[in-house]
Amino acid sequence: MNKQTYPFTLMPLPYAYEALEPYIDKETMHYHHDKHHQAYVDNLNKALANHPQYQKYTVPELLVMLPEIPDEIWTAVHNNGGGVYNHNLFWLAMAPQVPSRPTGKLATVIDEKFKTFSNFKVEFKKTALSQFGSGWAWLVSNNRDELAIITTANQNTPLELNLKPILPLDVWEHAYYLKYQNRRGDYIDNWFNIVDWRQAEKLYYT
Ligand code: MN
């Protein structure tokens, strides 16, 4: 998914638009993927169109090399590259038929860090609710494989903080407003029903 280079194309959803119902509705998925995510892809391509020296890099590579990206395209690459990367991760983090909780080493480290899986969910929700305005909530790990729950504003990514994303949650209003309006808490509670912990484990081990 993140191996592509310029010109970037929109990653297709790994399931049908209605697959995450009743937790995330088909209409939201169409707007979110076909309009919002597509716009990040298009705007990233536009930013790089006249900068061929950056066209050989993947999106994660561009995000890590942001300090050397020229000023005139820095904001566009940062915001739209982040938008492409975060949404690719977000679609893959969910699935219609999922295990209700992590297993293996990730389950163990979650228990070590947060005492219980239920307590992890309480902490994750609290953090996601605390993000003022647009942004993301994340379970991340650092270079010692230690877990943390963080938020990033707008389309900022954990990569810029030298952290590895394990589980992303989009808390922009465009992710939930059609179905949930201002009830971000209900959206978060329901989202836990479609978290694909197999993907989170894969990212943790990678
Ligand atoms: Mn989004």
Side-chain angles (χ1 to χ4, degrees):
M1 65 148 191
N2 283 319
K3 299 276 185 271
Q4 257 190 2
T5 55
Y6 178 93
F8 298 101
T9 55
L10 180 63
M11 185 186 91
L13 283 181
Y15 33 72
Y17 287 88
E18 65 273 22
L20 304 179
E21 292 190 345
Y23 308 114
I24 299 182
D25 59 295
K26 181 181 178 180
E27 199 185 7
T28 296
M29 291 301 284
H30 270 291
Y31 276 104
H32 199 173
H33 177 266
D34 306 353
K35 305 292 184 193
H36 290 277
H37 193 183
Q38 180 73 60
Y40 296 121
V41 172
D42 293 345
N43 289 325
L44 179 61
N45 285 334
K46 265 185 227 165
L48 296 178
N50 295 320
H51 293 268
Q53 69 273 40
Y54 296 106
Q55 293 175 357
K56 61 173 183 258
Y57 298 108
T58 65
V59 172
E61 284 166 350
L62 287 166
L63 292 169
V64 168
M65 65 196 288
L66 275 167
E68 54 188 276
I69 297 285
D71 287 353
E72 68 267 29
I73 56 167
W74 193 92
T75 302
V77 172
H78 176 249
N79 292 352
N80 295 294
V84 173
Y85 177 79
N86 290 343
H87 286 89
N88 285 351
L89 283 177
F90 186 51
W91 308 135
L92 292 169
M94 303 180 287
Q97 299 293 329
V98 290
S100 60
R101 51 188 304 156
T103 54
K105 179 139 188 265
L106 182 58
T108 308
V109 289
I110 284 178
D111 285 348
E112 281 167 9
K113 175 80 184 177
F114 303 101
K115 297 188 182 74
T116 63
F117 181 62
S118 325
N119 192 50
F120 159 77
K121 289 205 284 187
V122 169
E123 292 297 321
F124 192 93
K125 181 181 180 184
K126 200 194 294 175
T127 304
L129 285 171
S130 77
Q131 171 57 33
F132 183 76
S134 297
W136 293 73
W138 303 88
L139 177 64
V140 295
S141 64
N142 65 15
N143 52 16
R144 294 185 301 278
D145 290 339
E146 295 162 342
L147 297 179
I149 301 168
I150 65 162
T151 61
T152 59
N154 302 315
Q155 296 298 351
N156 298 358
T157 74
L159 289 185
E160 299 160 58
L161 306 168
N162 203 22
L163 295 168
K164 180 161 73 172
I166 309 294
L167 182 66
L169 173 59
D170 191 341
V171 292
W172 283 57
E173 284 185 346
H174 70 222
Y176 62 87
Y177 211 85
L178 279 180
K179 181 177 172 69
Y180 295 97
Q181 294 81 47
N182 61 331
R183 302 187 306 279
R184 187 188 282 187
D186 292 351
Y187 160 65
I188 298 166
D189 289 338
N190 276 342
W191 172 78
F192 277 116
N193 291 303
I194 43 174
V195 168
D196 191 349
W197 285 103
R198 295 162 300 193
Q199 173 68 8
E201 282 165 37
K202 205 166 101 188
L203 293 175
Y204 183 69
Y205 295 129
T206 304

Coordinates of all heavy atoms in Angstrom, one line a residue, residues 55-113:
Q55 N 10.1 12.6 -7.1 CA 9.0 11.7 -7.6 C 9.4 10.2 -7.4 O 8.6 9.4 -7.7 CB 8.7 12.0 -9.0 CG 8.1 13.4 -9.2 CD 7.9 13.8 -10.7 OE1 8.3 13.1 -11.6 NE2 7.3 15.0 -10.9
K56 N 10.6 10.0 -7.0 CA 11.0 8.6 -6.9 C 10.7 8.0 -5.5 O 11.0 6.8 -5.2 CB 12.5 8.4 -7.2 CG 13.4 9.2 -6.3 CD 14.9 8.8 -6.7 CE 15.9 9.5 -5.8 NZ 16.5 10.6 -6.4
Y57 N 10.2 8.8 -4.6 CA 10.0 8.4 -3.2 C 8.6 7.9 -2.9 O 7.6 8.4 -3.5 CB 10.4 9.5 -2.2 CG 11.8 10.0 -2.3 CD1 12.2 11.2 -2.9 CD2 12.8 9.1 -1.9 CE1 13.5 11.6 -3.0 CE2 14.2 9.5 -2.0 CZ 14.5 10.7 -2.6 OH 15.8 11.1 -2.7
T58 N 8.5 7.0 -2.0 CA 7.2 6.6 -1.5 C 6.6 7.6 -0.5 O 7.4 8.5 -0.1 CB 7.2 5.2 -0.8 OG1 8.0 5.4 0.4 CG2 7.9 4.1 -1.7
V59 N 5.4 7.5 -0.2 CA 4.8 8.5 0.7 C 5.5 8.4 2.1 O 5.8 9.5 2.6 CB 3.2 8.3 0.9 CG1 2.7 9.2 2.0 CG2 2.6 8.6 -0.5
P60 N 5.7 7.3 2.7 CA 6.4 7.3 4.0 C 7.8 7.8 3.9 O 8.2 8.5 4.8 CB 6.4 5.8 4.4 CG 5.4 5.1 3.6 CD 5.2 5.9 2.3
E61 N 8.5 7.6 2.8 CA 9.8 8.2 2.6 C 9.7 9.7 2.6 O 10.5 10.4 3.2 CB 10.5 7.6 1.3 CG 11.0 6.2 1.5 CD 11.3 5.5 0.1 OE1 11.0 6.1 -0.9 OE2 11.9 4.4 0.2
L62 N 8.8 10.2 1.8 CA 8.6 11.7 1.8 C 8.3 12.3 3.1 O 8.8 13.3 3.5 CB 7.4 12.1 0.8 CG 7.7 11.9 -0.7 CD1 6.4 11.9 -1.5 CD2 8.7 12.9 -1.2
L63 N 7.5 11.6 4.0 CA 7.2 12.1 5.3 C 8.4 12.1 6.2 O 8.6 13.0 7.0 CB 6.0 11.3 5.9 CG 4.7 11.4 5.1 CD1 3.7 10.4 5.6 CD2 4.2 12.9 5.3
V64 N 9.3 11.1 6.1 CA 10.4 11.0 6.9 C 11.5 12.1 6.5 O 12.2 12.6 7.3 CB 11.0 9.6 6.9 CG1 12.4 9.6 7.5 CG2 10.1 8.7 7.6
M65 N 11.5 12.4 5.2 CA 12.5 13.4 4.6 C 11.9 14.8 4.6 O 12.6 15.7 4.0 CB 13.0 12.9 3.3 CG 11.9 13.0 2.2 SD 12.5 12.0 0.7 CE 13.7 13.1 0.1
L66 N 10.8 15.1 5.3 CA 10.2 16.4 5.3 C 11.2 17.5 5.6 O 11.2 18.6 5.0 CB 9.1 16.5 6.3 CG 7.7 16.0 5.7 CD1 6.7 15.8 6.9 CD2 7.2 17.0 4.7
P67 N 12.2 17.3 6.5 CA 13.1 18.4 6.8 C 13.9 18.9 5.6 O 14.3 20.1 5.5 CB 14.1 17.8 7.8 CG 13.3 16.8 8.5 CD 12.4 16.2 7.4
E68 N 14.0 18.1 4.6 CA 14.8 18.5 3.4 C 13.9 18.9 2.2 O 14.3 19.2 1.1 CB 15.8 17.5 2.9 CG 15.2 16.1 2.7 CD 16.4 15.1 2.5 OE1 16.8 15.0 1.4 OE2 16.7 14.4 3.5
I69 N 12.5 18.9 2.4 CA 11.6 19.2 1.3 C 11.6 20.8 1.2 O 11.5 21.5 2.2 CB 10.2 18.7 1.6 CG1 10.2 17.1 1.7 CG2 9.1 19.2 0.6 CD1 10.2 16.4 0.4
P70 N 11.6 21.3 -0.1 CA 11.7 22.7 -0.2 C 10.5 23.5 0.3 O 9.4 22.9 0.3 CB 11.8 22.9 -1.8 CG 11.9 21.6 -2.4 CD 11.7 20.5 -1.3
D71 N 10.7 24.7 0.8 CA 9.6 25.5 1.4 C 8.4 25.6 0.5 O 7.3 25.5 1.1 CB 10.1 26.9 1.7 CG 11.1 26.9 2.8 OD1 11.3 25.9 3.5 OD2 11.7 28.0 3.0
E72 N 8.6 25.8 -0.8 CA 7.4 26.1 -1.6 C 6.4 24.9 -1.7 O 5.2 25.1 -2.0 CB 7.8 26.6 -3.0 CG 8.5 25.6 -3.9 CD 10.0 25.6 -3.8 OE1 10.5 26.0 -2.7 OE2 10.6 25.3 -4.8
I73 N 6.9 23.7 -1.4 CA 5.9 22.5 -1.4 C 5.8 21.8 -0.1 O 5.1 20.8 0.1 CB 6.3 21.5 -2.5 CG1 7.7 21.0 -2.4 CG2 6.1 22.1 -3.9 CD1 8.0 19.7 -3.2
W74 N 6.5 22.4 0.9 CA 6.6 21.7 2.2 C 5.2 21.4 2.8 O 4.9 20.3 3.2 CB 7.4 22.5 3.2 CG 7.8 21.7 4.4 CD1 8.9 20.9 4.6 CD2 7.0 21.5 5.6 NE1 8.8 20.3 5.9 CE2 7.7 20.6 6.5 CE3 5.7 22.0 6.0 CZ2 7.2 20.3 7.7 CZ3 5.2 21.6 7.3 CH2 5.9 20.8 8.1
T75 N 4.4 22.5 2.9 CA 3.1 22.3 3.5 C 2.2 21.4 2.7 O 1.5 20.5 3.3 CB 2.4 23.7 3.6 OG1 3.2 24.6 4.4 CG2 1.0 23.6 4.3
A76 N 2.2 21.5 1.4 CA 1.4 20.6 0.6 C 1.9 19.1 0.7 O 1.0 18.2 0.8 CB 1.5 21.0 -0.9
V77 N 3.2 18.9 0.8 CA 3.7 17.5 0.9 C 3.3 17.0 2.3 O 2.9 15.8 2.5 CB 5.2 17.4 0.6 CG1 5.7 16.0 1.0 CG2 5.4 17.7 -0.9
H78 N 3.6 17.8 3.3 CA 3.3 17.5 4.7 C 1.8 17.1 4.9 O 1.5 16.0 5.4 CB 3.7 18.6 5.6 CG 3.4 18.4 7.1 ND1 2.4 19.1 7.7 CD2 3.9 17.6 8.0 CE1 2.3 18.7 9.0 NE2 3.2 17.8 9.2
N79 N 0.9 18.0 4.5 CA -0.5 17.8 4.7 C -1.1 16.7 3.9 O -1.9 15.8 4.4 CB -1.3 19.1 4.5 CG -0.9 20.2 5.5 OD1 -0.2 19.9 6.5 ND2 -1.4 21.4 5.3
N80 N -0.8 16.7 2.6 CA -1.4 15.7 1.7 C -0.7 14.4 1.7 O -1.4 13.3 1.7 CB -1.5 16.3 0.3 CG -2.4 17.5 0.2 OD1 -3.6 17.4 0.4 ND2 -1.8 18.7 0.0
G81 N 0.6 14.4 1.9 CA 1.3 13.1 2.1 C 0.8 12.5 3.4 O 0.5 11.3 3.4
G82 N 0.7 13.3 4.4 CA 0.1 12.7 5.7 C -1.3 12.2 5.5 O -1.7 11.1 6.0
G83 N -2.1 12.9 4.7 CA -3.5 12.5 4.5 C -3.6 11.2 3.7 O -4.4 10.3 4.1
V84 N -2.7 11.0 2.8 CA -2.6 9.7 2.0 C -2.2 8.6 2.9 O -2.9 7.6 3.0 CB -1.7 9.8 0.8 CG1 -1.5 8.5 0.1 CG2 -2.2 10.9 -0.2
Y85 N -1.1 8.8 3.6 CA -0.6 7.8 4.5 C -1.5 7.4 5.6 O -1.8 6.2 5.9 CB 0.7 8.4 5.1 CG 1.4 7.4 6.1 CD1 2.2 6.4 5.7 CD2 1.3 7.7 7.5 CE1 2.8 5.5 6.6 CE2 1.9 6.8 8.4 CZ 2.7 5.8 7.9 OH 3.3 4.9 8.8
N86 N -2.1 8.4 6.3 CA -3.0 8.1 7.4 C -4.2 7.3 7.0 O -4.6 6.4 7.6 CB -3.4 9.4 8.1 CG -2.3 10.1 8.9 OD1 -1.2 9.4 9.1 ND2 -2.4 11.3 9.2
H87 N -4.8 7.7 5.9 CA -6.0 7.0 5.4 C -5.7 5.6 4.9 O -6.5 4.7 5.1 CB -6.7 7.9 4.4 CG -7.4 9.1 5.0 ND1 -6.8 10.3 5.1 CD2 -8.7 9.2 5.5 CE1 -7.7 11.1 5.8 NE2 -8.8 10.5 6.0
N88 N -4.6 5.4 4.2 CA -4.2 4.1 3.9 C -4.2 3.2 5.1 O -4.7 2.1 5.1 CB -2.8 4.0 3.2 CG -2.8 4.6 1.8 OD1 -3.9 4.8 1.2 ND2 -1.6 4.7 1.2
L89 N -3.6 3.7 6.1 CA -3.5 2.9 7.4 C -4.9 2.7 8.0 O -5.2 1.6 8.5 CB -2.6 3.6 8.4 CG -1.1 3.6 8.3 CD1 -0.5 4.4 9.4 CD2 -0.6 2.1 8.4
F90 N -5.7 3.7 7.9 CA -7.0 3.7 8.6 C -7.9 2.6 7.9 O -8.6 1.8 8.6 CB -7.7 5.0 8.5 CG -9.0 5.2 9.2 CD1 -9.1 4.8 10.5 CD2 -10.1 5.7 8.6 CE1 -10.3 4.9 11.2 CE2 -11.3 5.9 9.3 CZ -11.4 5.5 10.6
W91 N -7.9 2.5 6.6 CA -8.8 1.5 5.9 C -8.3 0.1 6.3 O -9.1 -0.8 6.5 CB -8.8 1.7 4.4 CG -9.1 3.1 3.9 CD1 -8.4 3.7 2.9 CD2 -10.1 4.0 4.3 NE1 -9.0 5.0 2.7 CE2 -10.0 5.1 3.5 CE3 -11.2 3.9 5.2 CZ2 -10.9 6.2 3.7 CZ3 -12.0 5.0 5.4 CH2 -11.9 6.1 4.6
L92 N -7.0 0.0 6.3 CA -6.5 -1.4 6.6 C -6.7 -1.7 8.1 O -6.6 -2.9 8.5 CB -5.0 -1.4 6.3 CG -4.7 -1.4 4.8 CD1 -3.2 -1.2 4.5 CD2 -5.2 -2.6 4.1
A93 N -6.9 -0.8 9.0 CA -7.0 -1.0 10.4 C -8.4 -1.6 10.8 O -8.6 -1.9 11.9 CB -6.7 0.2 11.2
M94 N -9.3 -1.6 9.8 CA -10.7 -2.0 10.0 C -11.0 -3.2 9.1 O -10.5 -3.3 8.0 CB -11.6 -0.8 9.8 CG -11.3 0.4 10.7 SD -12.5 1.8 10.4 CE -12.0 2.3 8.8
A95 N -12.0 -4.0 9.5 CA -12.5 -5.1 8.7 C -13.9 -5.5 9.3 O -14.2 -5.2 10.4 CB -11.5 -6.2 8.7
P96 N -14.7 -6.1 8.4 CA -16.0 -6.5 8.9 C -16.0 -7.7 9.9 O -16.8 -7.7 10.8 CB -16.8 -6.9 7.6 CG -15.7 -7.0 6.5 CD -14.5 -6.3 7.0
Q97 N -15.1 -8.6 9.7 CA -15.1 -9.8 10.6 C -13.8 -9.8 11.3 O -12.8 -10.1 10.7 CB -15.2 -11.1 9.8 CG -16.5 -11.2 9.0 CD -17.7 -11.3 9.9 OE1 -17.7 -11.9 11.0 NE2 -18.9 -10.8 9.4
V98 N -13.8 -9.4 12.6 CA -12.6 -9.2 13.3 C -12.6 -9.9 14.6 O -13.6 -10.1 15.2 CB -12.3 -7.7 13.5 CG1 -12.0 -7.0 12.2 CG2 -13.5 -7.0 14.2
P99 N -11.4 -10.3 15.1 CA -11.3 -10.7 16.5 C -11.6 -9.6 17.4 O -11.3 -8.4 17.1 CB -9.8 -11.2 16.6 CG -9.1 -10.5 15.5 CD -10.1 -10.2 14.4
S100 N -12.2 -9.8 18.5 CA -12.7 -8.7 19.4 C -11.5 -8.1 20.2 O -11.7 -7.0 20.8 CB -13.7 -9.2 20.4 OG -13.2 -10.3 21.2
R101 N -10.4 -8.7 20.2 CA -9.2 -8.2 20.9 C -8.0 -8.7 20.4 O -8.0 -9.7 19.6 CB -9.4 -8.5 22.4 CG -9.6 -10.0 22.7 CD -9.9 -10.3 24.1 NE -8.8 -9.8 25.0 CZ -8.9 -9.4 26.2 NH1 -10.1 -9.5 26.8 NH2 -7.9 -9.0 26.9
P102 N -6.8 -8.1 20.7 CA -5.5 -8.6 20.2 C -5.2 -9.9 20.9 O -5.7 -10.2 22.0 CB -4.6 -7.5 20.6 CG -5.2 -6.7 21.7 CD -6.7 -6.9 21.5
T103 N -4.3 -10.6 20.2 CA -3.7 -11.8 20.8 C -2.2 -11.7 20.8 O -1.7 -10.7 20.3 CB -4.2 -13.1 20.1 OG1 -3.8 -12.9 18.7 CG2 -5.7 -13.3 20.2
G104 N -1.5 -12.7 21.2 CA -0.1 -12.8 21.0 C 0.6 -11.7 21.8 O 0.1 -11.2 22.8
K105 N 1.8 -11.3 21.3 CA 2.6 -10.3 22.1 C 2.0 -9.0 22.3 O 2.2 -8.4 23.3 CB 4.0 -10.2 21.3 CG 4.9 -9.2 22.0 CD 6.4 -9.7 21.9 CE 7.3 -8.8 22.8 NZ 7.9 -7.8 22.0
L106 N 1.2 -8.5 21.3 CA 0.6 -7.2 21.4 C -0.4 -7.2 22.6 O -0.5 -6.2 23.3 CB -0.1 -6.8 20.1 CG -0.8 -5.4 20.1 CD1 0.2 -4.3 20.5 CD2 -1.5 -5.1 18.8
A107 N -1.1 -8.3 22.7 CA -2.1 -8.4 23.9 C -1.3 -8.3 25.2 O -1.7 -7.6 26.1 CB -2.8 -9.7 23.8
T108 N -0.1 -9.0 25.2 CA 0.7 -9.0 26.5 C 1.2 -7.6 26.8 O 1.1 -7.1 27.9 CB 1.9 -9.9 26.3 OG1 1.4 -11.2 25.9 CG2 2.6 -10.1 27.6
V109 N 1.7 -6.9 25.8 CA 2.3 -5.5 26.0 C 1.1 -4.5 26.3 O 1.3 -3.6 27.1 CB 3.2 -5.0 24.9 CG1 4.5 -5.8 24.9 CG2 2.5 -5.0 23.6
I110 N 0.0 -4.7 25.8 CA -1.2 -3.8 26.1 C -1.5 -4.1 27.6 O -1.7 -3.1 28.3 CB -2.4 -4.1 25.2 CG1 -2.1 -3.4 23.8 CG2 -3.7 -3.6 25.8 CD1 -3.2 -3.7 22.8
D111 N -1.6 -5.3 28.0 CA -1.9 -5.6 29.4 C -0.8 -5.0 30.3 O -1.2 -4.5 31.4 CB -2.1 -7.1 29.6 CG -3.4 -7.6 29.1 OD1 -4.2 -6.8 28.8 OD2 -3.5 -8.9 29.0
E112 N 0.4 -5.2 29.9 CA 1.5 -4.6 30.8 C 1.4 -3.1 30.9 O 1.6 -2.5 32.0 CB 2.9 -5.0 30.2 CG 3.3 -6.4 30.4 CD 4.5 -6.8 29.6 OE1 5.1 -6.0 28.9 OE2 4.8 -8.0 29.6
K113 N 1.1 -2.5 29.8 CA 1.1 -1.0 29.8 C -0.2 -0.4 30.4 O -0.2 0.6 31.1 CB 1.3 -0.5 28.3 CG 1.1 1.0 28.1 CD 2.4 1.7 28.5 CE 2.3 3.2 28.4 NZ 3.5 3.9 28.8

